[in-house]
Amino acid sequence: MEKRIDVGVLGATGMVGQQFIRLLENHPWFRLTWLGASDRSAGKRYKEATNWRLDGEMPAGVADLPVHECKPGDAPPIVFSATDASVATEIEQAFANAGHWVISNSRNHRMDLDVPLLVAEINAEHLRVLPTQQRLRGWTGGIVTNPNCSTIGLVMGLAPLRQFGIRKVVVATMQAVSGAGYPGVPSMDILGNVVPYIGGEEEKMQTETQKILGNFDADRIAPMGANVSAHCNRVPAIDGHTVVASVELETKPGVEGLKKAMAEFAGRPQELKLPFAPERPLVVTDAPDRPQTRRDALAGNGMTVTVGRVRECTVFDYKFTALVHNTIRGAAGAAILNAELLLEEGYVQR
Amino acid sequence: MEKRIDVGVLGATGMVGQQFIRLLENHPWFRLTWLGASDRSAGKRYKEATNWRLDGEMPAGVADLPVHECKPGDAPPIVFSATDASVATEIEQAFANAGHWVISNSRNHRMDLDVPLLVAEINAEHLRVLPTQQRLRGWTGGIVTNPNCSTIGLVMGLAPLRQFGIRKVVVATMQAVSGAGYPGVPSMDILGNVVPYIGGEEEKMQTETQKILGNFDADRIAPMGANVSAHCNRVPAIDGHTVVASVELETKPGVEGLKKAMAEFAGRPQELKLPFAPERPLVVTDAPDRPQTRRDALAGNGMTVTVGRVRECTVFDYKFTALVHNTIRGAAGAAILNAELLLEEGYVQR
Amino acid sequence: MEKRIDVGVLGATGMVGQQFIRLLENHPWFRLTWLGASDRSAGKRYKEATNWRLDGEMPAGVADLPVHECKPGDAPPIVFSATDASVATEIEQAFANAGHWVISNSRNHRMDLDVPLLVAEINAEHLRVLPTQQRLRGWTGGIVTNPNCSTIGLVMGLAPLRQFGIRKVVVATMQAVSGAGYPGVPSMDILGNVVPYIGGEEEKMQTETQKILGNFDADRIAPMGANVSAHCNRVPAIDGHTVVASVELETKPGVEGLKKAMAEFAGRPQELKLPFAPERPLVVTDAPDRPQTRRDALAGNGMTVTVGRVRECTVFDYKFTALVHNTIRGAAGAAILNAELLLEEGYVQR
Amino acid sequence: MEKRIDVGVLGATGMVGQQFIRLLENHPWFRLTWLGASDRSAGKRYKEATNWRLDGEMPAGVADLPVHECKPGDAPPIVFSATDASVATEIEQAFANAGHWVISNSRNHRMDLDVPLLVAEINAEHLRVLPTQQRLRGWTGGIVTNPNCSTIGLVMGLAPLRQFGIRKVVVATMQAVSGAGYPGVPSMDILGNVVPYIGGEEEKMQTETQKILGNFDADRIAPMGANVSAHCNRVPAIDGHTVVASVELETKPGVEGLKKAMAEFAGRPQELKLPFAPERPLVVTDAPDRPQTRRDALAGNGMTVTVGRVRECTVFDYKFTALVHNTIRGAAGAAILNAELLLEEGYVQR
């Protein structure tokens, strides 16, 4: 690629915004030139507006960038959205209406029928709903979303099983605190503790999974019919959501067949060799006690989901454990991969 | 009760043995007078043989007791067994054969057809297999076991549902490190981490649950037919195993019906007002984010299981979260309650 | 004592307020009948105004008490103050002016020359400044404070050394998260982490220690001349502040002499057998690896400070480790003991 | 450098051995070709002999290397020693005697008068004792050691202060569990806990610091005269030892002078641009709440010590906090840097 494309980040001062900024540093295709945040931050330099919460230092290139209001104006054609759910609907629509492509990590538009809930390896064909989105909404740009940070671990494990006919899924999660942002979970609530509840999380996991694994049919995305039941829990880990799932299938490939399907799973990002595409989206481990949060979350620079303990289930057919890095593959990294796909598939002009 | 009955502890120097000792301090019916441990410890005073690992100090009354070999000899009629699984089979049989009642927390005899796997509130009638046990084995004493520390949280939640016909159960656990004893789980393995594997735990949970919820029929215990599938995980908490379960039932009592059945659940220990019987074996909470490991494990002095998040399940009928104190209700406390029941039901003579 | 005295709690809905409420439940001398909180809570029942954060359930007796504004009015003669520092000065003075005795855990008046910074075992004679306080301020009531939660661990270790002439103290702390209240320390900041800074803490520890160990002289409290240097750190523990100190003394009692002085240390609360007085304010352990936060914090129901590792120091004379339960002996429990002393010494009429 | 030099690792299967292997992967000067371990492992492939404990996968290049007994034989000229202290004396001497250079992380020879206790930036001139070592011991090779993982954090902070005349140091540490190896610290001992004791650690910190900061004089290393007093504590963190120190100096440079001296500190590794030399051995932060274990341990790929909170001390002159990555700068990384220095200074022939 000859020259890099300018991109922006909406909600740049928050935790997910900071993750976008860290991951976009040195991106081969994208150059971060524009930052948007709340009125409170607008007008300041980024380093003045931001309490940098991530490990390591704030990238030097961004420290002196001015922070803008979240209004289209002179923003670049692609913007990553990490805006708060309370304002994301309006802001993202304004950008799309003004011709920008909004690659959003916010939940607001995920379940809209004409908005792709995109996991680049799983449902790249859902991008075909974008012309409908533009037509229905009268936009020259558009919105593409990625799923919730716990959903992604499950759907990556399930995607290779679509060929066997997914019938039922019962899943439990053990989610790291970084999923709740900053200040997020008080330490008094989580040190030496498990909290068996994360507001809205189970519903997201249940419905997002159905949409992601659904088919694109003519001009709409038809959700998968199989039901999913989720138990979402918070545990004292920093990064990495663990998902344990029991699955009923129409045909039974056997444990080895299942592992083979998972290990061979790949998608458009791998075909296109996109910069953020991990060599393998799923790695299957035979170690009896893996994947583990701290040890496996950073596999594939945080873009690989590690699956282990694939085995028979006494109630359904099979069960397995999957681990996803919730702030990379489960948030900013997923969105960046989505933007790469959008560009390479020609939805956005260079 | 006029005078206290002498009891002993087998495996007195280990973690579970120490828990027995702590819980038996000041017991109104039992007086701990006899300690057995490995040859290495035998002949020493307890305080010399033991590295006390529990919070607080070693009970004064036990510090100077002599430690015996684990041989019947002059041991009292009731002994609590916390012996290591590698030696428990032989030791416990020797005591039962010599006329002692062995109330065991070891796993060795749990699945034997003629040995009660007793949860005093749930299957007190399983004690009726004891005459068969004595007849078949030629014993004048006997063995009574309690379940694994993770099983108990599940079966306490399921017991009140038997009336609705349990068909299928999928369960995931988040288990505290004290379940692995001492030194147990290395800190390098669990700080900020989840380990999705505990050796042998899932099998125990699946089969023990079927036995506990089975019926006593003529002279045998017929296991429950419904299958259970377990995902067992270790998390960085000290005490308290969290269990999340999805359940399919034959009749549908509704969420309120389910909660009512759980809240009203009680058994023989409550009828008999046994000393270790909590007023309520199950407490149902409506708080959206409870039960929590650190906050609820000590409910009812660690003998009450707290259930929360009772709700509909999109795949089965209902789902819920249960929390059990794994070293009290899940180990030594359960055994002591079993001994109280055995005594009060007349199996052991005062 | 024939009948219990009515007491109130200012700032009843916050974390320290809740600790007061829990500790006052079943107090033999005090009956909690009055609760004050911010305007936002005033007028509600306590259970409606409060998100109960402590382990276990809210005491039944308090759940339906009305919450008042923090104004003297019909409040009882003794009030415990857990009000926020931003409003404590004004509120506490208003109560003292109206004839109430304010037993305060807030920092606002701690360093006032005419206000006792009272540790009941250490400087009971500082109460003699109260007539001066009343005279200077024109109050019919008064204010008595207790030290910061980290200071108390240090001064309890130092108090028995006054007889040897304290010259210099260098101290480092490892403080639990409960010291920061709720929500307090974000979990992202403390899981697997040490934060080497707690705002204002080192200054408090340095100056409060000098005042507490100072002498009451005629009508004023003269601070100890010896300097104290503190390094305060936050660590991932729930309850219990660990203090490690190196001390230079004028006379050298030897390690055994030091331990003897510590072990024998007692004060007015022990003489008077006050309800909240632990049998021993200091327990000296010879275990090489104690005191430990989780294992020793609750010694003496949280009112005993455990000291260990008393040994020679290569730079000063001696060094030791002390552990204090920061929310009991370091906050609400200390204040309750102070109130008991005030009552028993006749400063407050029954 | 034209070609890489073959090196070996003694004690290759243990935790420190694994760290050597991970850090030597892709080293520009060294090629790991030889592995030594206990008799139990000798004869196996490395992947068969080793339970890989570090995050991520075992480096591919080492998996099939054979494991040798720890005997010189055909070992390469430079060997890194991670052997257990129980056998290190004999093994290391045998290698040195056979003409190998032993770059040791073991404690056995650290305090020997003729063995450099080398921190490459601090006391490179101590290497000049090596001819004496060879002469006295009749060796053609030699032994060079690096300090204990907690000592290094302190001495890196103190080294720039030598110019001001160090008189007294009181230091407290908060050390991560990885310092204890594997299985190391049981989780029951450290979750939510502080353990105020690490066997032998305080003595090492006190004496090693004096040796490292001592002068090379004619043919011997004369330890620094100033005394050091250490309080060593274990806290629930994975990697990174925090050190808080109070220091008395002969001349007083002021806080800004001190920070300047620290920030400008550099040594031979920086002059020689050694591969493992961080650009800055010390980074001084002005953030009020840094350095933090989890956030700063990996500064400079784990080779930079971060210093913060440089301020005046009410008892001595100054105090500060330093953070060191204990398994990189505090162990294997330090040894690799030492080997680079040895090579570049011409002690070892290429």
Side-chain angles (χ1 to χ4, degrees):
Chain A
M1 182 167 287
E2 288 170 15
K3 59 185 279 290
R4 295 197 292 166
I5 296 177
D6 289 352
V7 299
V9 169
L10 300 169
T13 58
M15 278 292 271
V16 179
Q18 295 185 22
Q19 285 147 2
F20 271 119
I21 286 168
R22 185 171 59 178
L23 292 178
L24 286 168
E25 196 186 7
N26 305 320
H27 191 283
W29 294 3
F30 301 132
R31 186 175 58 175
L32 179 58
T33 58
W34 192 95
L35 302 173
S38 68
D39 299 355
R40 200 177 54 248
S41 300
K44 299 179 183 169
R45 304 269 142 203
Y46 185 67
K47 66 185 174 192
E48 297 152 4
T50 305
N51 201 334
W52 187 254
R53 299 287 179 194
L54 305 187
D55 298 355
E57 298 294 311
M58 177 186 294
V62 85
D64 288 313
L65 282 185
V67 177
H68 301 268
E69 284 185 273
C70 285
K71 292 184 179 167
D74 59 349
I78 296 180
V79 290
F80 294 97
S81 173
T83 42
D84 191 77
S86 63
V87 294
T89 304
E90 199 174 339
I91 290 174
E92 295 183 352
Q93 291 184 0
F95 274 80
N97 189 52
H100 300 266
W101 285 98
V102 180
I103 314 299
S104 175
N105 186 58
S106 300
R107 68 165 189 264
N108 304 47
H109 295 286
R110 280 184 197 149
M111 296 305 294
D112 291 1
L113 291 173
D114 58 347
V115 174
L117 181 51
L118 182 67
V119 180
E121 282 90 349
I122 296 179
N123 60 355
E125 74 281 8
H126 287 198
L127 287 177
R128 290 160 61 196
V129 82
L130 286 174
T132 304
Q133 182 188 114
Q134 291 187 316
R135 182 171 43 81
L136 288 176
R137 310 221 187 197
W139 290 345
T140 50
I143 298 177
V144 172
T145 63
N146 57 270
N148 186 47
C149 55
S150 57
T151 304
I152 184 74
L154 177 62
V155 293
M156 288 292 279
L158 292 178
L161 313 190
R162 285 179 292 186
Q163 59 187 295
F164 308 117
I166 297 168
R167 275 186 176 153
K168 289 176 186 167
V169 182
V170 174
V171 58
T173 68
M174 288 156 282
Q175 303 184 216
V177 297
S178 61
Y182 189 91
V185 183
S187 53
M188 289 289 288
D189 283 347
I190 203 66
L191 275 171
N193 205 20
V194 170
V195 179
Y197 176 70
I198 302 173
E201 197 83 355
E202 296 177 347
E203 294 71 18
K204 284 185 222 167
M205 222 178 159
Q206 295 176 170
T207 57
E208 292 182 5
T209 298
Q210 292 179 308
K211 178 171 178 181
I212 293 165
L213 297 180
N215 293 314
F216 180 75
D217 180 14
D219 60 352
R220 60 183 285 276
I221 299 163
M224 172 179 77
N227 275 343
V228 176
S229 176
H231 301 253
C232 291
N233 304 283
R234 188 77 70 192
V235 297
I238 292 290
D239 290 318
H241 289 353
T242 302
V243 166
V244 297
S246 281
V247 189
E248 185 175 296
L249 301 177
E250 286 170 25
T251 63
K252 323 295 182 193
V255 165
E256 289 310 313
L258 207 67
K259 285 163 69 172
K260 186 163 178 293
M262 287 170 156
E264 291 176 351
F265 177 69
R268 289 292 287 158
Q270 283 72 36
E271 290 170 36
L272 299 172
K273 297 187 186 301
L274 299 179
F276 261 55
E279 196 182 316
R280 305 227 57 82
L282 278 182
V283 163
V284 179
T285 175
D286 284 321
D289 60 351
R290 302 289 277 266
Q292 291 179 16
T293 316
R294 217 182 61 232
R295 292 183 165 131
D296 296 303
L298 278 172
N301 294 317
M303 291 297 286
T304 290
V305 170
T306 305
V307 174
R309 305 208 71 223
V310 183
R311 60 205 194 283
E312 303 214 334
C313 176
T314 46
V315 167
F316 288 156
D317 298 308
Y318 305 104
K319 49 188 177 182
F320 62 86
T321 299
L323 178 78
V324 59
H325 194 297
N326 56 298
T327 69
I328 301 179
R329 173 56 93 160
I336 293 172
L337 184 62
N338 283 353
E340 293 170 358
L341 183 65
L342 211 65
L343 198 67
E344 198 70 0
E345 296 282 30
Y347 286 90
V348 183
Q349 303 310 317
R350 284 190 176 151
Chain B
M1 182 167 289
E2 286 168 17
K3 60 184 277 291
R4 294 197 293 164
I5 297 177
D6 289 351
V7 298
V9 170
L10 300 169
T13 59
M15 279 291 272
V16 178
Q18 295 186 21
Q19 285 146 3
F20 271 118
I21 287 167
R22 184 170 60 177
L23 293 178
L24 286 168
E25 196 186 7
N26 306 319
H27 191 283
W29 293 2
F30 301 131
R31 186 175 56 175
L32 179 58
T33 58
W34 192 94
L35 302 173
S38 67
D39 299 355
R40 200 178 54 248
S41 301
K44 301 180 183 169
R45 303 269 142 204
Y46 186 67
K47 67 183 173 193
E48 296 153 5
T50 305
N51 200 334
W52 187 254
R53 300 286 178 194
L54 305 187
D55 298 355
E57 298 295 311
M58 177 187 292
V62 86
D64 288 313
L65 282 185
V67 177
H68 302 267
E69 282 185 275
C70 283
K71 294 184 179 165
D74 59 350
I78 295 180
V79 289
F80 294 97
S81 173
T83 43
D84 190 77
S86 63
V87 294
T89 303
E90 200 175 341
I91 291 174
E92 295 183 353
Q93 291 182 1
F95 274 79
N97 188 53
H100 300 268
W101 285 98
V102 181
I103 315 299
S104 175
N105 185 58
S106 300
R107 69 164 187 264
N108 303 47
H109 294 286
R110 280 183 198 149
M111 296 305 295
D112 291 0
L113 290 174
D114 58 347
V115 174
L117 180 52
L118 182 67
V119 180
E121 283 90 346
I122 297 179
N123 61 355
E125 75 280 7
H126 288 198
L127 287 177
R128 292 159 60 197
V129 82
L130 285 174
T132 306
Q133 182 189 115
Q134 292 185 315
R135 181 171 43 80
L136 288 174
R137 310 219 186 198
W139 290 345
T140 50
I143 298 176
V144 172
T145 64
N146 57 271
N148 185 47
C149 54
S150 58
T151 304
I152 184 73
L154 177 63
V155 294
M156 289 291 279
L158 292 178
L161 312 190
R162 285 179 291 187
Q163 59 187 293
F164 308 117
I166 297 169
R167 277 187 175 152
K168 289 177 186 165
V169 182
V170 174
V171 59
T173 69
M174 288 157 282
Q175 302 184 218
V177 298
S178 61
Y182 189 91
V185 183
S187 54
M188 287 291 287
D189 283 347
I190 202 67
L191 274 172
N193 205 20
V194 171
V195 179
Y197 176 71
I198 302 172
E201 197 83 355
E202 296 177 349
E203 294 71 17
K204 285 185 220 165
M205 221 178 162
Q206 296 176 172
T207 57
E208 291 182 6
T209 298
Q210 291 178 309
K211 178 170 178 183
I212 294 164
L213 297 180
N215 292 316
F216 180 75
D217 181 13
D219 61 352
R220 60 184 287 278
I221 299 163
M224 172 179 78
N227 275 343
V228 176
S229 175
H231 301 253
C232 291
N233 304 281
R234 188 77 69 192
V235 296
I238 292 291
D239 289 319
H241 290 352
T242 302
V243 166
V244 298
S246 281
V247 188
E248 185 175 294
L249 301 177
E250 285 170 26
T251 62
K252 323 295 181 190
V255 166
E256 289 310 313
L258 207 67
K259 286 162 67 173
K260 187 165 179 291
M262 287 170 156
E264 291 176 351
F265 177 70
R268 289 293 287 159
Q270 283 72 37
E271 290 170 36
L272 300 171
K273 296 187 187 302
L274 300 179
F276 261 55
E279 196 183 314
R280 306 226 56 82
L282 277 182
V283 163
V284 179
T285 174
D286 284 321
D289 60 351
R290 302 290 276 267
Q292 291 180 16
T293 316
R294 216 182 62 232
R295 292 184 165 129
D296 296 303
L298 279 172
N301 293 319
M303 291 297 286
T304 289
V305 170
T306 304
V307 174
R309 304 207 71 222
V310 183
R311 60 206 193 282
E312 303 214 332
C313 177
T314 46
V315 166
F316 288 156
D317 297 309
Y318 305 103
K319 49 188 179 181
F320 62 86
T321 299
L323 179 78
V324 60
H325 194 298
N326 56 298
T327 68
I328 301 178
R329 173 57 93 158
I336 294 173
L337 184 62
N338 284 352
E340 293 170 357
L341 182 65
L342 211 66
L343 199 67
E344 197 70 0
E345 296 282 28
Y347 288 89
V348 183
Q349 304 310 317
R350 288 198 173 142
Chain C
M1 181 165 289
E2 287 170 15
K3 61 184 277 290
R4 294 197 293 164
I5 295 177
D6 289 351
V7 299
V9 170
L10 300 169
T13 59
M15 279 291 272
V16 178
Q18 295 185 22
Q19 285 146 2
F20 272 118
I21 287 168
R22 184 171 60 177
L23 293 177
L24 286 169
E25 196 185 6
N26 306 319
H27 192 283
W29 293 3
F30 301 132
R31 185 177 57 175
L32 179 58
T33 59
W34 191 95
L35 303 173
S38 67
D39 299 355
R40 202 178 52 248
S41 300
K44 300 180 183 168
R45 304 268 141 204
Y46 186 67
K47 67 184 173 192
E48 297 152 5
T50 306
N51 200 335
W52 188 255
R53 299 287 179 194
L54 305 187
D55 298 355
E57 298 294 310
M58 177 186 293
V62 86
D64 288 314
L65 282 185
V67 177
H68 301 268
E69 283 185 272
C70 284
K71 294 186 178 164
D74 59 349
I78 295 180
V79 290
F80 294 98
S81 173
T83 42
D84 191 78
S86 62
V87 295
T89 304
E90 200 175 341
I91 290 175
E92 295 182 352
Q93 292 183 359
F95 274 78
N97 189 53
H100 300 266
W101 285 97
V102 181
I103 314 298
S104 175
N105 186 58
S106 300
R107 70 165 187 264
N108 303 48
H109 294 286
R110 280 183 197 149
M111 297 305 294
D112 291 0
L113 291 173
D114 58 348
V115 174
L117 180 52
L118 182 67
V119 180
E121 282 90 348
I122 298 179
N123 60 356
E125 75 281 8
H126 288 198
L127 286 177
R128 292 160 59 196
V129 82
L130 286 174
T132 305
Q133 182 188 116
Q134 292 186 317
R135 180 170 44 81
L136 288 175
R137 310 218 187 198
W139 290 345
T140 50
I143 298 177
V144 173
T145 63
N146 58 270
N148 185 46
C149 55
S150 57
T151 304
I152 184 73
L154 177 63
V155 294
M156 289 291 278
L158 293 178
L161 313 190
R162 285 178 293 186
Q163 60 188 294
F164 308 117
I166 297 169
R167 275 185 176 154
K168 288 177 186 166
V169 182
V170 174
V171 60
T173 68
M174 289 157 281
Q175 303 185 217
V177 297
S178 61
Y182 189 92
V185 183
S187 54
M188 287 291 287
D189 283 346
I190 203 67
L191 274 171
N193 206 20
V194 171
V195 179
Y197 176 70
I198 301 172
E201 198 84 355
E202 296 176 349
E203 293 72 18
K204 285 184 221 166
M205 224 178 158
Q206 295 175 171
T207 57
E208 292 182 5
T209 298
Q210 292 178 307
K211 178 171 179 182
I212 295 164
L213 298 180
N215 293 315
F216 179 75
D217 180 14
D219 60 353
R220 59 183 287 277
I221 299 162
M224 171 180 78
N227 275 343
V228 177
S229 176
H231 301 252
C232 291
N233 304 282
R234 187 77 69 192
V235 296
I238 291 292
D239 289 319
H241 290 352
T242 302
V243 166
V244 298
S246 280
V247 188
E248 185 174 295
L249 301 177
E250 285 170 25
T251 62
K252 324 294 182 191
V255 166
E256 289 310 312
L258 208 67
K259 286 162 67 171
K260 186 164 179 290
M262 287 170 157
E264 291 176 352
F265 177 68
R268 289 292 286 157
Q270 283 72 36
E271 290 170 35
L272 299 171
K273 296 188 188 301
L274 299 178
F276 261 55
E279 196 182 316
R280 305 226 58 81
L282 278 182
V283 163
V284 179
T285 174
D286 284 321
D289 59 351
R290 303 290 275 265
Q292 291 180 14
T293 316
R294 218 182 60 231
R295 292 182 165 131
D296 296 304
L298 279 171
N301 293 319
M303 290 299 286
T304 289
V305 169
T306 305
V307 174
R309 306 208 69 223
V310 183
R311 60 205 194 284
E312 302 214 333
C313 176
T314 46
V315 167
F316 288 156
D317 297 309
Y318 305 103
K319 49 188 178 181
F320 62 86
T321 300
L323 178 78
V324 60
H325 194 297
N326 56 298
T327 69
I328 300 177
R329 173 57 93 160
I336 294 172
L337 183 62
N338 284 353
E340 294 170 358
L341 182 65
L342 210 65
L343 198 67
E344 198 70 359
E345 297 282 30
Y347 287 88
V348 183
Q349 304 309 317
R350 287 194 174 147
Chain D
M1 181 167 289
E2 285 168 18
K3 59 184 280 288
R4 295 198 292 165
I5 297 177
D6 289 352
V7 299
V9 170
L10 300 169
T13 58
M15 278 292 270
V16 179
Q18 295 185 22
Q19 286 147 2
F20 271 119
I21 286 168
R22 185 171 58 177
L23 292 178
L24 286 168
E25 196 186 8
N26 306 318
H27 191 283
W29 294 2
F30 301 132
R31 187 176 55 176
L32 179 58
T33 59
W34 191 94
L35 303 173
S38 67
D39 299 356
R40 200 178 54 249
S41 300
K44 298 181 184 169
R45 304 269 142 202
Y46 185 68
K47 67 184 173 192
E48 296 152 5
T50 306
N51 200 335
W52 187 255
R53 299 287 179 195
L54 305 186
D55 298 356
E57 298 295 310
M58 177 187 293
V62 86
D64 288 313
L65 282 185
V67 177
H68 302 267
E69 283 185 273
C70 284
K71 294 184 179 166
D74 59 350
I78 295 180
V79 290
F80 295 98
S81 172
T83 42
D84 191 77
S86 63
V87 295
T89 304
E90 198 175 341
I91 290 174
E92 296 183 353
Q93 292 183 0
F95 274 79
N97 189 53
H100 300 265
W101 284 98
V102 180
I103 314 299
S104 174
N105 185 58
S106 298
R107 69 164 186 264
N108 303 47
H109 294 286
R110 280 184 199 150
M111 296 305 294
D112 291 1
L113 290 174
D114 57 348
V115 174
L117 181 51
L118 182 67
V119 180
E121 282 90 347
I122 297 180
N123 60 355
E125 75 281 6
H126 288 198
L127 287 177
R128 291 161 60 196
V129 82
L130 285 174
T132 305
Q133 181 189 116
Q134 291 186 318
R135 180 169 46 80
L136 288 175
R137 310 218 187 199
W139 291 345
T140 51
I143 298 177
V144 172
T145 63
N146 57 270
N148 185 46
C149 54
S150 58
T151 304
I152 183 72
L154 177 62
V155 293
M156 289 291 279
L158 292 178
L161 312 190
R162 285 179 291 187
Q163 60 188 294
F164 308 117
I166 297 169
R167 275 185 175 153
K168 289 177 187 166
V169 182
V170 174
V171 59
T173 68
M174 290 156 280
Q175 303 185 216
V177 298
S178 61
Y182 189 92
V185 183
S187 53
M188 287 291 287
D189 283 348
I190 203 66
L191 275 171
N193 205 20
V194 171
V195 179
Y197 176 70
I198 301 173
E201 197 84 355
E202 296 177 348
E203 294 72 16
K204 285 184 221 166
M205 219 177 163
Q206 295 176 173
T207 57
E208 292 182 6
T209 297
Q210 291 178 309
K211 178 170 178 182
I212 294 165
L213 297 180
N215 292 316
F216 179 75
D217 180 13
D219 60 352
R220 60 184 286 278
I221 299 163
M224 173 179 77
N227 274 344
V228 177
S229 176
H231 302 253
C232 291
N233 304 281
R234 187 77 69 192
V235 296
I238 291 291
D239 290 317
H241 289 353
T242 301
V243 167
V244 298
S246 280
V247 188
E248 185 175 294
L249 301 177
E250 286 170 25
T251 63
K252 322 296 182 194
V255 166
E256 289 311 311
L258 207 67
K259 285 162 67 171
K260 186 164 178 294
M262 287 171 156
E264 292 176 351
F265 177 69
R268 289 293 287 158
Q270 283 72 37
E271 290 170 36
L272 299 172
K273 296 187 187 303
L274 300 179
F276 261 55
E279 195 183 315
R280 304 226 57 82
L282 277 182
V283 163
V284 179
T285 174
D286 284 322
D289 60 351
R290 302 290 276 266
Q292 291 180 15
T293 317
R294 216 182 62 232
R295 291 183 165 131
D296 295 305
L298 279 172
N301 294 318
M303 291 298 287
T304 289
V305 169
T306 305
V307 174
R309 306 208 68 223
V310 183
R311 60 206 194 281
E312 303 214 331
C313 177
T314 46
V315 167
F316 287 155
D317 298 309
Y318 305 104
K319 49 188 178 181
F320 63 86
T321 300
L323 178 78
V324 60
H325 194 298
N326 56 299
T327 69
I328 300 179
R329 174 56 94 159
I336 294 173
L337 184 63
N338 283 354
E340 293 169 358
L341 182 65
L342 210 67
L343 198 67
E344 198 70 359
E345 297 282 30
Y347 288 89
V348 183
Q349 305 309 318
R350 284 193 176 150

